Amino acid sequence: MSFSHRAFPEIRAIFLAQFHPDQGPIVRLSIPEDAVGAEKNSYADLGAIKGEGSRCRSGMLSAENSTGFGTFVDDSAEVIELIKRPARSIAPADSSKIDFNSIQTLVIPKLQLFDRLVTVNTGKYKVMCYPLCIKGDNYVRNAFIFNMCFAFDIDADTKCYGPVVKRVGCLLRELEITGKLLSNPEGTRPLLGMMRQLVNKLNEHGEYQIELDLKGISQPMASTGISIKLFPYYEAPKDIEPYHVPVKIIDFDIAKRKSAQTVYQAHVPSDIMWDLVLDKVTDYIDNINHVRRIARLTAIHEKTVILALKHLDYFGCIKLVDIFRFGNVYEGQHHLKDIFRNAWLQRECHRYVTRDGQTGSISIEQLIQLYSTIRNRKTVAEWIIENDIDVDRLDVRRFFMFGVLHKMLRRVHCYPVLSKLQDQRSPDDREASSSSEASKKQNKSELGTLDMLDGTHHLDEICILEDKDMDTMREFLDQQEGINYMYL
């Protein structure tokens, strides 16, 4: 299967860097062979400063005192300082090459960065790597430091390659520990073949599987198989609260049928079976119902509904917005400029916010003008009156929802803050109210509401958690003294 219309960035180069006991950080192998430009660096000239013995060939790499990438047990402060601060890098003559000298202190880094993913930009490339160190008495300096680096375009989204880079590094470490593949000069040929196929297979197919022939190099690892596959990167699911409103991004009926085709291949039964919770929850996702209402309509526990919605959010099937009310306040964001420049976004906005997608009802130019009038933190109702909006031609809810979904608008929440808590009723009234069970429950509910007026809960959250509508909550708050409102 061709991978030309890939959803993954293309690998531009791959190179193996290692710490040479005499020359310092070097590029041992690269695909393409001329992909990396590296002039001779200052590490090769250590002997010129302290003599040949200052290279500390038998020095033990110190994990306790790791002030440099290789802090060795030696009394020579000049050597340690030189290792910490290499000379100014010399850029390669060809700007299309990767400037290794500018990134060598991160490719062969300090001890704290070993066994960690490192991403560094240089020139027009982004280099992702996983530096590793193998300690052993059989190595010069008692340690073998190496790093297999992947280079991409500077603007590439390389999140999906993180597990691949780490896995390749760990596989090479295992091959070195078991069969000395990297430290053995005879390992160059299979390493080059593996690197070349790694680039080609991942770029073309998004996966890689090869049998390494290590006969004559390592008997324990004479025939070793390596399998690697790229997977899309998904952000961790956001926290979903009872007051959030899930908005459909895909058609769930089509999604059900496609998932059924994956299981049943060409034949799709008429009674498509899907996850029972997802099947019920998606029936009530209408871009209006909030999470708690969906839980009540489906008669499913709220936590289970939230887990199902997190699953849908993780795979990009829904997005989350706030409850829409005409008393909401919105303000423009930096991405509001996109509606002025992006023709596709303008057409999508017109199709989505006009009533039933009618053409000629309201022009794209008018929509753009309306978005530019959202300022001064006015409520939606005030905005409608001020701009004389014809609600028969424009779906106001969708208008603001589209802006929020495309990060052109932001909801401004109202946070009530109670500065003092006091009961202003007369003693007789308090005594009379305490005698009634209903009054006790009401007082307990009111105290629970007042406890949330600490500036960390906005009105949407308080209304949903206390199971009250906005008008009732506003009326209750207006009866209290010492309440201030913050809009954030």
Side-chain angles (χ1 to χ4, degrees), residues 7-187:
F8 305 108
E10 184 175 356
I11 302 174
R12 295 302 182 185
I14 183 173
F15 61 94
L16 175 64
Q18 68 182 56
F19 183 81
H20 192 277
D22 294 326
Q23 300 176 16
I26 62 170
V27 177
R28 178 180 169 187
L29 302 171
S30 68
I31 299 294
E33 294 182 3
D34 58 347
V36 183
E39 299 295 334
K40 187 177 181 181
N41 57 58
S42 62
Y43 292 93
D45 298 327
L46 288 175
I49 295 178
K50 294 298 294 181
E52 192 69 23
S54 66
R55 289 175 184 159
C56 311
R57 287 173 178 259
S58 61
M60 178 61 187
L61 192 62
S62 172
E64 291 79 10
N65 182 20
S66 55
T67 56
F69 83 92
T71 301
F72 304 98
V73 178
D74 185 30
D75 295 332
S76 173
E78 291 86 350
V79 173
I80 296 175
E81 187 70 15
L82 186 58
I83 290 176
K84 286 169 63 180
R85 289 201 314 249
R88 187 177 303 169
S89 63
I90 303 174
D94 188 354
S95 61
S96 64
K97 294 183 178 181
I98 300 169
D99 182 9
F100 178 72
N101 289 335
S102 66
I103 62 173
Q104 63 178 1
T105 55
L106 291 173
V107 172
I108 305 295
K110 298 180 180 181
L111 292 178
Q112 295 92 326
L113 294 181
F114 288 143
D115 290 285
R116 295 176 182 270
L117 278 174
V118 177
T119 302
V120 57
N121 295 342
T122 173
K124 61 179 183 179
Y125 295 102
K126 177 184 291 187
V127 178
M128 178 179 280
C129 54
Y130 191 73
L132 292 162
C133 174
I134 303 174
K135 296 181 181 180
D137 297 338
N138 56 318
Y139 296 113
V140 179
R141 302 187 184 231
N142 296 335
F144 183 77
I145 302 172
F146 69 96
N147 196 348
M148 183 69 79
C149 306
F150 292 68
F152 308 88
D153 291 332
I154 188 71
D155 58 347
D157 184 2
T158 58
K159 294 177 182 176
C160 59
Y161 270 94
V164 171
V165 174
K166 182 177 180 179
R167 177 169 170 77
V168 170
C170 292
L171 285 172
L172 291 178
R173 176 170 56 186
E174 187 65 27
L175 290 173
E176 171 61 23
I177 293 174
T178 308
K180 305 300 178 185
L181 175 65
L182 301 179
S183 57
N184 188 344
E186 296 182 2

Side-chain angles (χ1 to χ4, degrees), residues 371-397:
Y371 274 116
S372 65
T373 61
I374 301 174
R375 54 182 180 270
N376 299 329
R377 292 194 171 182
K378 295 182 179 180
T379 65
V380 175
E382 293 171 342
W383 176 83
I384 291 174
I385 296 173
E386 182 181 278
N387 293 276
D388 193 21
I389 303 297
D390 186 354
V391 294
D392 292 328
R393 299 170 59 201
L394 177 69
D395 191 323
V396 177
R397 180 185 62 84

